[in-house]
Amino acid sequence: AYAASLSGAEEFEKQFEGQRPNDAPTQDERWQKCLAYYSEARVIYAALMRETKKDLFKEVLASTIDPSIRYAAYQSHLPRTTAVLVIAKRCFPRSDSDLTTAVEKLDPDVLQEEQSASGAAGKDSGSENVPNTINWRSRTANIADASIGQALAAVATAEAQLSSFLSSENTDSTSREKAAAYDEVLIASQDAADAT
C-alpha cells in the first residue's frame, strides 16, 4: 500500500511538469496511472483498516489517499458524484491476481461492487440511502459531492439508531450509557462538517 501510494504521488507530481497542450493523451494516461496506484493503496488500506480497526489507516486515507483520488478523478473527467471508494474499486488493478487474493483474504467484500441493498452496501453507512438534495432555511440545494452525501446519510443513520435506543425506554440504562448513545451522532455530524 505504501509503495502504491508513493507511485501514485510520483504520477501525481508528473502532472505539474509543464506539459504542452498537444501532450493531452499522455496527460490522460498519466492520470489513469495515478488513479490506478492510488486506488491500489486505497483498497489495501481500507482492508487493513477493517481487519485491524486502527485509526492510523483512516487518517492516511482521509489526509492523503482520498483527496488525491478525488483530484485525479476530477482531472480524468469522472463525475464528482461518484464516491472515492467506488472509483478505487473500479480502478484497482485486478490483473494482479496475487494482490487481489491477498486483499480479499483480509476483507472478502473489499472489491465487491455495491449494487445490492444488503451485504457490502450495508457496511458503508447506508450507502443505498445517500441523499441527492438537502433542505436548509426553506431552500433546496443539490448535493454535487458524493462524500458529502455519504456523510449526511451516516448522520441520518446514527440519528435513527439514537432515536430507537432512546424510544426503547431502557430502564436498565444509566445516564452515562444514555449520554454515550449520542456519541455516534456527534461523530457522524463532525465527519459531515469535515466533508463539507
Side-chain angles (χ1 to χ4, degrees):
Y2 184 68
S5 66
L6 288 178
S7 297
E10 178 185 15
E11 293 297 329
F12 191 93
E13 292 299 324
K14 284 181 181 179
Q15 299 308 310
F16 302 104
E17 292 179 337
Q19 300 291 322
R20 294 184 305 277
N22 59 0
D23 290 341
T26 305
Q27 283 185 326
D28 288 343
E29 184 179 306
R30 283 188 184 160
W31 282 118
Q32 290 304 316
K33 286 182 183 178
C34 179
L35 269 176
Y37 285 127
Y38 273 127
S39 295
E40 180 180 341
R42 171 63 163 97
V43 169
I44 294 169
Y45 279 135
L48 287 171
M49 183 177 69
R50 284 192 183 152
E51 177 69 20
T52 63
K53 301 190 180 4
K54 291 188 178 179
D55 287 337
L56 171 71
F57 298 118
K58 184 177 181 180
E59 185 177 324
V60 169
L61 289 173
S63 66
T64 306
I65 306 294
D66 287 354
S68 299
I69 289 175
R70 176 60 60 207
Y71 187 77
Y74 170 77
Q75 291 297 329
S76 296
H77 307 293
L78 296 175
R80 288 181 55 203
T81 55
T82 306
V84 171
L85 182 61
V86 173
I87 293 169
K89 288 178 182 183
R90 289 180 185 163
C91 295
F92 183 80
R94 295 174 194 261
S95 59
D96 187 348
S97 60
D98 293 337
L99 175 64
T100 304
T101 304
V103 168
E104 287 179 337
K105 187 183 290 184
L106 284 174
D107 184 1
D109 297 329
V110 75
L111 292 174
Q112 300 296 322
E113 288 292 327
E114 300 168 12
Q115 296 173 349
S116 65
S118 61
K123 288 183 181 180
D124 293 324
S125 64
S127 60
E128 70 275 2
N129 297 326
V130 176
N132 294 327
T133 60
I134 187 168
N135 295 321
W136 185 66
R137 291 191 177 176
S138 70
R139 299 195 182 197
T140 301
N142 291 330
I143 299 173
D145 194 339
S147 61
I148 295 171
Q150 289 175 328
L152 291 172
V155 171
T157 301
E159 287 174 345
Q161 290 172 347
L162 173 66
S163 179
S164 70
F165 175 78
L166 294 176
S167 67
S168 67
E169 297 186 26
N170 293 328
T171 56
D172 304 355
S173 299
T174 65
S175 59
R176 181 178 295 259
E177 290 172 341
K178 289 179 182 176
Y182 285 87
D183 284 349
E184 291 302 319
V185 174
L186 295 173
I187 291 168
S189 297
Q190 184 60 50
D191 288 346
D194 292 345
T196 304

mmCIF file of all heavy atoms in Angstrom, residues 29-68:
data_model
loop_
_atom_site.group_PDB
_atom_site.id
_atom_site.type_symbol
_atom_site.label_atom_id
_atom_site.label_comp_id
_atom_site.label_asym_id
_atom_site.label_seq_id
_atom_site.Cartn_x
_atom_site.Cartn_y
_atom_site.Cartn_z
ATOM 1 N N GLU A 29 -3.335 9.548 -19.828
ATOM 2 C CA GLU A 29 -2.752 8.261 -19.457
ATOM 3 C C GLU A 29 -2.089 8.343 -18.089
ATOM 4 O O GLU A 29 -2.194 7.429 -17.276
ATOM 5 C CB GLU A 29 -1.732 7.845 -20.516
ATOM 6 C CG GLU A 29 -1.126 6.490 -20.294
ATOM 7 C CD GLU A 29 -0.147 6.130 -21.386
ATOM 8 O OE1 GLU A 29 -0.539 6.178 -22.564
ATOM 9 O OE2 GLU A 29 1.003 5.812 -21.051
ATOM 10 N N ARG A 30 -1.412 9.448 -17.822
ATOM 11 C CA ARG A 30 -0.765 9.609 -16.513
ATOM 12 C C ARG A 30 -1.778 9.700 -15.394
ATOM 13 O O ARG A 30 -1.557 9.176 -14.308
ATOM 14 C CB ARG A 30 0.129 10.853 -16.509
ATOM 15 C CG ARG A 30 1.425 10.650 -17.213
ATOM 16 C CD ARG A 30 2.308 11.839 -16.989
ATOM 17 N NE ARG A 30 3.536 11.705 -17.744
ATOM 18 C CZ ARG A 30 4.313 12.725 -18.041
ATOM 19 N NH1 ARG A 30 3.988 13.934 -17.657
ATOM 20 N NH2 ARG A 30 5.408 12.531 -18.712
ATOM 21 N N TRP A 31 -2.910 10.408 -15.635
ATOM 22 C CA TRP A 31 -3.937 10.472 -14.601
ATOM 23 C C TRP A 31 -4.500 9.091 -14.333
ATOM 24 O O TRP A 31 -4.831 8.754 -13.202
ATOM 25 C CB TRP A 31 -5.037 11.462 -14.972
ATOM 26 C CG TRP A 31 -4.653 12.887 -14.751
ATOM 27 C CD1 TRP A 31 -4.561 13.860 -15.705
ATOM 28 C CD2 TRP A 31 -4.295 13.514 -13.517
ATOM 29 N NE1 TRP A 31 -4.167 15.033 -15.132
ATOM 30 C CE2 TRP A 31 -4.000 14.858 -13.789
ATOM 31 C CE3 TRP A 31 -4.191 13.060 -12.211
ATOM 32 C CZ2 TRP A 31 -3.614 15.761 -12.806
ATOM 33 C CZ3 TRP A 31 -3.798 13.957 -11.224
ATOM 34 C CH2 TRP A 31 -3.523 15.285 -11.521
ATOM 35 N N GLN A 32 -4.626 8.270 -15.382
ATOM 36 C CA GLN A 32 -5.118 6.910 -15.187
ATOM 37 C C GLN A 32 -4.126 6.085 -14.378
ATOM 38 O O GLN A 32 -4.518 5.306 -13.514
ATOM 39 C CB GLN A 32 -5.393 6.237 -16.544
ATOM 40 C CG GLN A 32 -6.586 6.811 -17.281
ATOM 41 C CD GLN A 32 -7.861 6.772 -16.461
ATOM 42 O OE1 GLN A 32 -8.163 5.766 -15.821
ATOM 43 N NE2 GLN A 32 -8.610 7.858 -16.467
ATOM 44 N N LYS A 33 -2.828 6.276 -14.639
ATOM 45 C CA LYS A 33 -1.808 5.583 -13.843
ATOM 46 C C LYS A 33 -1.877 6.039 -12.388
ATOM 47 O O LYS A 33 -1.793 5.234 -11.469
ATOM 48 C CB LYS A 33 -0.412 5.852 -14.396
ATOM 49 C CG LYS A 33 -0.079 5.133 -15.667
ATOM 50 C CD LYS A 33 1.358 5.463 -16.065
ATOM 51 C CE LYS A 33 1.756 4.839 -17.353
ATOM 52 N NZ LYS A 33 3.124 5.214 -17.745
ATOM 53 N N CYS A 34 -2.032 7.340 -12.199
ATOM 54 C CA CYS A 34 -2.140 7.903 -10.850
ATOM 55 C C CYS A 34 -3.345 7.303 -10.127
ATOM 56 O O CYS A 34 -3.242 6.880 -8.971
ATOM 57 C CB CYS A 34 -2.256 9.421 -10.950
ATOM 58 S SG CYS A 34 -2.417 10.277 -9.390
ATOM 59 N N LEU A 35 -4.492 7.250 -10.815
ATOM 60 C CA LEU A 35 -5.694 6.663 -10.223
ATOM 61 C C LEU A 35 -5.494 5.185 -9.887
ATOM 62 O O LEU A 35 -5.929 4.728 -8.822
ATOM 63 C CB LEU A 35 -6.875 6.793 -11.189
ATOM 64 C CG LEU A 35 -7.735 8.034 -11.063
ATOM 65 C CD1 LEU A 35 -8.791 8.058 -12.146
ATOM 66 C CD2 LEU A 35 -8.375 8.120 -9.702
ATOM 67 N N ALA A 36 -4.825 4.453 -10.762
ATOM 68 C CA ALA A 36 -4.612 3.025 -10.522
ATOM 69 C C ALA A 36 -3.747 2.811 -9.279
ATOM 70 O O ALA A 36 -4.069 1.971 -8.429
ATOM 71 C CB ALA A 36 -3.976 2.370 -11.736
ATOM 72 N N TYR A 37 -2.651 3.572 -9.163
ATOM 73 C CA TYR A 37 -1.780 3.405 -7.992
ATOM 74 C C TYR A 37 -2.486 3.811 -6.700
ATOM 75 O O TYR A 37 -2.429 3.096 -5.701
ATOM 76 C CB TYR A 37 -0.494 4.227 -8.149
ATOM 77 C CG TYR A 37 0.494 3.638 -9.108
ATOM 78 C CD1 TYR A 37 1.005 4.397 -10.159
ATOM 79 C CD2 TYR A 37 0.952 2.332 -8.976
ATOM 80 C CE1 TYR A 37 1.927 3.870 -11.043
ATOM 81 C CE2 TYR A 37 1.873 1.796 -9.854
ATOM 82 C CZ TYR A 37 2.358 2.565 -10.884
ATOM 83 O OH TYR A 37 3.273 2.038 -11.750
ATOM 84 N N TYR A 38 -3.137 4.978 -6.723
ATOM 85 C CA TYR A 38 -3.827 5.424 -5.510
ATOM 86 C C TYR A 38 -5.004 4.506 -5.168
ATOM 87 O O TYR A 38 -5.311 4.297 -3.992
ATOM 88 C CB TYR A 38 -4.310 6.864 -5.643
ATOM 89 C CG TYR A 38 -3.263 7.877 -5.248
ATOM 90 C CD1 TYR A 38 -2.897 8.910 -6.102
ATOM 91 C CD2 TYR A 38 -2.637 7.816 -4.014
ATOM 92 C CE1 TYR A 38 -1.949 9.842 -5.742
ATOM 93 C CE2 TYR A 38 -1.686 8.736 -3.640
ATOM 94 C CZ TYR A 38 -1.342 9.756 -4.508
ATOM 95 O OH TYR A 38 -0.404 10.669 -4.134
ATOM 96 N N SER A 39 -5.670 3.942 -6.184
ATOM 97 C CA SER A 39 -6.766 3.006 -5.931
ATOM 98 C C SER A 39 -6.247 1.737 -5.271
ATOM 99 O O SER A 39 -6.881 1.197 -4.358
ATOM 100 C CB SER A 39 -7.483 2.661 -7.232
ATOM 101 O OG SER A 39 -8.106 3.806 -7.762
ATOM 102 N N GLU A 40 -5.102 1.275 -5.728
ATOM 103 C CA GLU A 40 -4.478 0.109 -5.107
ATOM 104 C C GLU A 40 -4.198 0.388 -3.632
ATOM 105 O O GLU A 40 -4.537 -0.415 -2.753
ATOM 106 C CB GLU A 40 -3.186 -0.234 -5.842
ATOM 107 C CG GLU A 40 -2.445 -1.416 -5.293
ATOM 108 C CD GLU A 40 -1.158 -1.703 -6.060
ATOM 109 O OE1 GLU A 40 -1.016 -1.241 -7.210
ATOM 110 O OE2 GLU A 40 -0.296 -2.391 -5.494
ATOM 111 N N ALA A 41 -3.604 1.545 -3.356
ATOM 112 C CA ALA A 41 -3.320 1.915 -1.967
ATOM 113 C C ALA A 41 -4.607 2.052 -1.165
ATOM 114 O O ALA A 41 -4.690 1.591 -0.021
ATOM 115 C CB ALA A 41 -2.527 3.219 -1.926
ATOM 116 N N ARG A 42 -5.641 2.661 -1.752
ATOM 117 C CA ARG A 42 -6.916 2.894 -1.053
ATOM 118 C C ARG A 42 -7.566 1.578 -0.645
ATOM 119 O O ARG A 42 -8.025 1.409 0.482
ATOM 120 C CB ARG A 42 -7.844 3.710 -1.960
ATOM 121 C CG ARG A 42 -9.297 3.866 -1.472
ATOM 122 C CD ARG A 42 -9.332 4.609 -0.181
ATOM 123 N NE ARG A 42 -10.601 5.151 0.201
ATOM 124 C CZ ARG A 42 -11.451 4.559 1.041
ATOM 125 N NH1 ARG A 42 -11.235 3.368 1.512
ATOM 126 N NH2 ARG A 42 -12.538 5.195 1.420
ATOM 127 N N VAL A 43 -7.597 0.631 -1.569
ATOM 128 C CA VAL A 43 -8.253 -0.651 -1.290
ATOM 129 C C VAL A 43 -7.467 -1.429 -0.230
ATOM 130 O O VAL A 43 -8.053 -2.002 0.691
ATOM 131 C CB VAL A 43 -8.417 -1.458 -2.600
ATOM 132 C CG1 VAL A 43 -8.830 -2.890 -2.313
ATOM 133 C CG2 VAL A 43 -9.448 -0.787 -3.503
ATOM 134 N N ILE A 44 -6.148 -1.427 -0.331
ATOM 135 C CA ILE A 44 -5.336 -2.156 0.651
ATOM 136 C C ILE A 44 -5.480 -1.535 2.033
ATOM 137 O O ILE A 44 -5.692 -2.240 3.023
ATOM 138 C CB ILE A 44 -3.856 -2.200 0.217
ATOM 139 C CG1 ILE A 44 -3.699 -3.028 -1.057
ATOM 140 C CG2 ILE A 44 -2.986 -2.784 1.325
ATOM 141 C CD1 ILE A 44 -2.333 -2.921 -1.699
ATOM 142 N N TYR A 45 -5.365 -0.209 2.114
ATOM 143 C CA TYR A 45 -5.506 0.446 3.414
ATOM 144 C C TYR A 45 -6.905 0.243 4.000
ATOM 145 O O TYR A 45 -7.058 0.087 5.211
ATOM 146 C CB TYR A 45 -5.198 1.940 3.305
ATOM 147 C CG TYR A 45 -3.724 2.268 3.313
ATOM 148 C CD1 TYR A 45 -3.201 3.176 2.405
ATOM 149 C CD2 TYR A 45 -2.849 1.696 4.235
ATOM 150 C CE1 TYR A 45 -1.849 3.491 2.412
ATOM 151 C CE2 TYR A 45 -1.510 2.002 4.248
ATOM 152 C CZ TYR A 45 -1.008 2.903 3.329
ATOM 153 O OH TYR A 45 0.318 3.203 3.345
ATOM 154 N N ALA A 46 -7.945 0.254 3.149
ATOM 155 C CA ALA A 46 -9.310 0.028 3.643
ATOM 156 C C ALA A 46 -9.455 -1.382 4.209
ATOM 157 O O ALA A 46 -10.079 -1.577 5.257
ATOM 158 C CB ALA A 46 -10.322 0.263 2.523
ATOM 159 N N ALA A 47 -8.853 -2.363 3.526
ATOM 160 C CA ALA A 47 -8.906 -3.732 4.029
ATOM 161 C C ALA A 47 -8.145 -3.854 5.347
ATOM 162 O O ALA A 47 -8.612 -4.510 6.281
ATOM 163 C CB ALA A 47 -8.333 -4.696 2.992
ATOM 164 N N LEU A 48 -6.988 -3.201 5.432
ATOM 165 C CA LEU A 48 -6.221 -3.232 6.677
ATOM 166 C C LEU A 48 -6.969 -2.528 7.809
ATOM 167 O O LEU A 48 -6.933 -2.979 8.953
ATOM 168 C CB LEU A 48 -4.851 -2.579 6.473
ATOM 169 C CG LEU A 48 -3.848 -3.384 5.653
ATOM 170 C CD1 LEU A 48 -2.630 -2.540 5.330
ATOM 171 C CD2 LEU A 48 -3.445 -4.644 6.397
ATOM 172 N N MET A 49 -7.641 -1.441 7.485
ATOM 173 C CA MET A 49 -8.386 -0.701 8.500
ATOM 174 C C MET A 49 -9.525 -1.560 9.058
ATOM 175 O O MET A 49 -9.737 -1.601 10.266
ATOM 176 C CB MET A 49 -8.949 0.598 7.919
ATOM 177 C CG MET A 49 -9.669 1.465 8.934
ATOM 178 S SD MET A 49 -10.248 3.025 8.264
ATOM 179 C CE MET A 49 -11.543 2.481 7.169
ATOM 180 N N ARG A 50 -10.234 -2.272 8.186
ATOM 181 C CA ARG A 50 -11.326 -3.131 8.653
ATOM 182 C C ARG A 50 -10.799 -4.312 9.451
ATOM 183 O O ARG A 50 -11.436 -4.749 10.407
ATOM 184 C CB ARG A 50 -12.159 -3.620 7.484
ATOM 185 C CG ARG A 50 -13.072 -2.555 6.954
ATOM 186 C CD ARG A 50 -14.079 -3.135 6.005
ATOM 187 N NE ARG A 50 -14.905 -2.072 5.462
ATOM 188 C CZ ARG A 50 -15.487 -2.122 4.288
ATOM 189 N NH1 ARG A 50 -15.324 -3.181 3.528
ATOM 190 N NH2 ARG A 50 -16.220 -1.133 3.868
ATOM 191 N N GLU A 51 -9.648 -4.836 9.055
ATOM 192 C CA GLU A 51 -9.090 -6.005 9.728
ATOM 193 C C GLU A 51 -8.521 -5.641 11.101
ATOM 194 O O GLU A 51 -8.766 -6.322 12.091
ATOM 195 C CB GLU A 51 -7.989 -6.630 8.854
ATOM 196 C CG GLU A 51 -7.297 -7.813 9.477
ATOM 197 C CD GLU A 51 -8.186 -9.039 9.601
ATOM 198 O OE1 GLU A 51 -9.199 -9.128 8.892
ATOM 199 O OE2 GLU A 51 -7.859 -9.907 10.421
ATOM 200 N N THR A 52 -7.746 -4.547 11.167
ATOM 201 C CA THR A 52 -7.058 -4.191 12.409
ATOM 202 C C THR A 52 -7.827 -3.212 13.264
ATOM 203 O O THR A 52 -7.529 -3.061 14.442
ATOM 204 C CB THR A 52 -5.680 -3.590 12.106
ATOM 205 O OG1 THR A 52 -5.852 -2.371 11.371
ATOM 206 C CG2 THR A 52 -4.808 -4.557 11.328
ATOM 207 N N LYS A 53 -8.773 -2.466 12.657
ATOM 208 C CA LYS A 53 -9.564 -1.453 13.351
ATOM 209 C C LYS A 53 -8.685 -0.371 13.980
ATOM 210 O O LYS A 53 -8.952 0.132 15.060
ATOM 211 C CB LYS A 53 -10.472 -2.090 14.398
ATOM 212 C CG LYS A 53 -11.434 -3.087 13.805
ATOM 213 C CD LYS A 53 -12.471 -3.535 14.766
ATOM 214 C CE LYS A 53 -13.443 -4.528 14.233
ATOM 215 N NZ LYS A 53 -13.327 -5.065 12.932
ATOM 216 N N LYS A 54 -7.607 0.010 13.262
ATOM 217 C CA LYS A 54 -6.709 1.061 13.734
ATOM 218 C C LYS A 54 -7.026 2.367 13.014
ATOM 219 O O LYS A 54 -7.227 2.392 11.799
ATOM 220 C CB LYS A 54 -5.252 0.677 13.490
ATOM 221 C CG LYS A 54 -4.792 -0.460 14.368
ATOM 222 C CD LYS A 54 -3.312 -0.685 14.244
ATOM 223 C CE LYS A 54 -2.875 -1.795 15.184
ATOM 224 N NZ LYS A 54 -1.450 -2.064 15.075
ATOM 225 N N ASP A 55 -7.047 3.444 13.786
ATOM 226 C CA ASP A 55 -7.355 4.756 13.216
ATOM 227 C C ASP A 55 -6.228 5.306 12.362
ATOM 228 O O ASP A 55 -6.439 6.245 11.600
ATOM 229 C CB ASP A 55 -7.687 5.750 14.329
ATOM 230 C CG ASP A 55 -9.050 5.482 14.944
ATOM 231 O OD1 ASP A 55 -9.891 4.851 14.273
ATOM 232 O OD2 ASP A 55 -9.280 5.908 16.083
ATOM 233 N N LEU A 56 -5.048 4.748 12.472
ATOM 234 C CA LEU A 56 -3.921 5.195 11.655
ATOM 235 C C LEU A 56 -4.246 5.090 10.172
ATOM 236 O O LEU A 56 -3.983 6.007 9.397
ATOM 237 C CB LEU A 56 -2.673 4.370 11.981
ATOM 238 C CG LEU A 56 -1.471 4.581 11.057
ATOM 239 C CD1 LEU A 56 -0.887 5.959 11.310
ATOM 240 C CD2 LEU A 56 -0.445 3.509 11.280
ATOM 241 N N PHE A 57 -4.865 3.986 9.762
ATOM 242 C CA PHE A 57 -5.204 3.787 8.359
ATOM 243 C C PHE A 57 -6.284 4.768 7.913
ATOM 244 O O PHE A 57 -6.254 5.281 6.800
ATOM 245 C CB PHE A 57 -5.641 2.349 8.102
ATOM 246 C CG PHE A 57 -4.558 1.345 8.391
ATOM 247 C CD1 PHE A 57 -4.723 0.397 9.369
ATOM 248 C CD2 PHE A 57 -3.359 1.370 7.699
ATOM 249 C CE1 PHE A 57 -3.732 -0.528 9.638
ATOM 250 C CE2 PHE A 57 -2.353 0.461 7.965
ATOM 251 C CZ PHE A 57 -2.539 -0.493 8.934
ATOM 252 N N LYS A 58 -7.227 5.046 8.803
ATOM 253 C CA LYS A 58 -8.280 6.015 8.480
ATOM 254 C C LYS A 58 -7.672 7.399 8.258
ATOM 255 O O LYS A 58 -8.084 8.121 7.356
ATOM 256 C CB LYS A 58 -9.301 6.056 9.618
ATOM 257 C CG LYS A 58 -10.487 6.943 9.345
ATOM 258 C CD LYS A 58 -11.486 6.889 10.479
ATOM 259 C CE LYS A 58 -12.691 7.752 10.188
ATOM 260 N NZ LYS A 58 -13.670 7.720 11.274
ATOM 261 N N GLU A 59 -6.694 7.742 9.073
ATOM 262 C CA GLU A 59 -6.032 9.038 8.930
ATOM 263 C C GLU A 59 -5.269 9.141 7.610
ATOM 264 O O GLU A 59 -5.312 10.167 6.937
ATOM 265 C CB GLU A 59 -5.080 9.254 10.109
ATOM 266 C CG GLU A 59 -4.441 10.608 10.137
ATOM 267 C CD GLU A 59 -3.573 10.802 11.368
ATOM 268 O OE1 GLU A 59 -3.935 10.297 12.442
ATOM 269 O OE2 GLU A 59 -2.539 11.466 11.220
ATOM 270 N N VAL A 60 -4.570 8.074 7.234
ATOM 271 C CA VAL A 60 -3.831 8.065 5.968
ATOM 272 C C VAL A 60 -4.799 8.204 4.796
ATOM 273 O O VAL A 60 -4.550 8.972 3.860
ATOM 274 C CB VAL A 60 -2.982 6.778 5.829
ATOM 275 C CG1 VAL A 60 -2.427 6.627 4.425
ATOM 276 C CG2 VAL A 60 -1.861 6.766 6.841
ATOM 277 N N LEU A 61 -5.915 7.483 4.865
ATOM 278 C CA LEU A 61 -6.905 7.574 3.795
ATOM 279 C C LEU A 61 -7.490 8.975 3.691
ATOM 280 O O LEU A 61 -7.589 9.540 2.607
ATOM 281 C CB LEU A 61 -8.021 6.551 4.026
ATOM 282 C CG LEU A 61 -7.647 5.091 3.825
ATOM 283 C CD1 LEU A 61 -8.795 4.185 4.244
ATOM 284 C CD2 LEU A 61 -7.270 4.827 2.392
ATOM 285 N N ALA A 62 -7.882 9.530 4.821
ATOM 286 C CA ALA A 62 -8.556 10.832 4.818
ATOM 287 C C ALA A 62 -7.622 11.978 4.456
ATOM 288 O O ALA A 62 -8.038 12.944 3.827
ATOM 289 C CB ALA A 62 -9.194 11.088 6.176
ATOM 290 N N SER A 63 -6.357 11.878 4.852
ATOM 291 C CA SER A 63 -5.461 13.012 4.647
ATOM 292 C C SER A 63 -4.718 12.983 3.320
ATOM 293 O O SER A 63 -4.412 14.040 2.771
ATOM 294 C CB SER A 63 -4.443 13.088 5.794
ATOM 295 O OG SER A 63 -3.592 11.955 5.759
ATOM 296 N N THR A 64 -4.428 11.807 2.778
ATOM 297 C CA THR A 64 -3.585 11.736 1.584
ATOM 298 C C THR A 64 -4.260 11.025 0.418
ATOM 299 O O THR A 64 -4.387 11.587 -0.667
ATOM 300 C CB THR A 64 -2.270 10.999 1.913
ATOM 301 O OG1 THR A 64 -1.657 11.631 3.021
ATOM 302 C CG2 THR A 64 -1.319 11.026 0.738
ATOM 303 N N ILE A 65 -4.686 9.810 0.651
ATOM 304 C CA ILE A 65 -5.139 8.962 -0.444
ATOM 305 C C ILE A 65 -6.454 9.464 -1.056
ATOM 306 O O ILE A 65 -6.538 9.673 -2.270
ATOM 307 C CB ILE A 65 -5.302 7.495 0.023
ATOM 308 C CG1 ILE A 65 -4.015 6.979 0.667
ATOM 309 C CG2 ILE A 65 -5.748 6.602 -1.119
ATOM 310 C CD1 ILE A 65 -2.840 6.844 -0.233
ATOM 311 N N ASP A 66 -7.480 9.659 -0.235
ATOM 312 C CA ASP A 66 -8.791 10.057 -0.762
ATOM 313 C C ASP A 66 -8.772 11.396 -1.498
ATOM 314 O O ASP A 66 -9.330 11.499 -2.590
ATOM 315 C CB ASP A 66 -9.840 10.064 0.346
ATOM 316 C CG ASP A 66 -10.230 8.652 0.780
ATOM 317 O OD1 ASP A 66 -9.763 7.677 0.143
ATOM 318 O OD2 ASP A 66 -10.993 8.519 1.754
ATOM 319 N N PRO A 67 -8.127 12.444 -0.957
ATOM 320 C CA PRO A 67 -8.081 13.700 -1.718
ATOM 321 C C PRO A 67 -7.333 13.559 -3.051
ATOM 322 O O PRO A 67 -7.722 14.181 -4.044
ATOM 323 C CB PRO A 67 -7.344 14.666 -0.785
ATOM 324 C CG PRO A 67 -7.510 14.097 0.569
ATOM 325 C CD PRO A 67 -7.574 12.613 0.388
ATOM 326 N N SER A 68 -6.310 12.730 -3.078
ATOM 327 C CA SER A 68 -5.562 12.530 -4.320
ATOM 328 C C SER A 68 -6.408 11.794 -5.348
ATOM 329 O O SER A 68 -6.379 12.136 -6.540
ATOM 330 C CB SER A 68 -4.276 11.757 -4.046
ATOM 331 O OG SER A 68 -3.450 12.483 -3.162
#
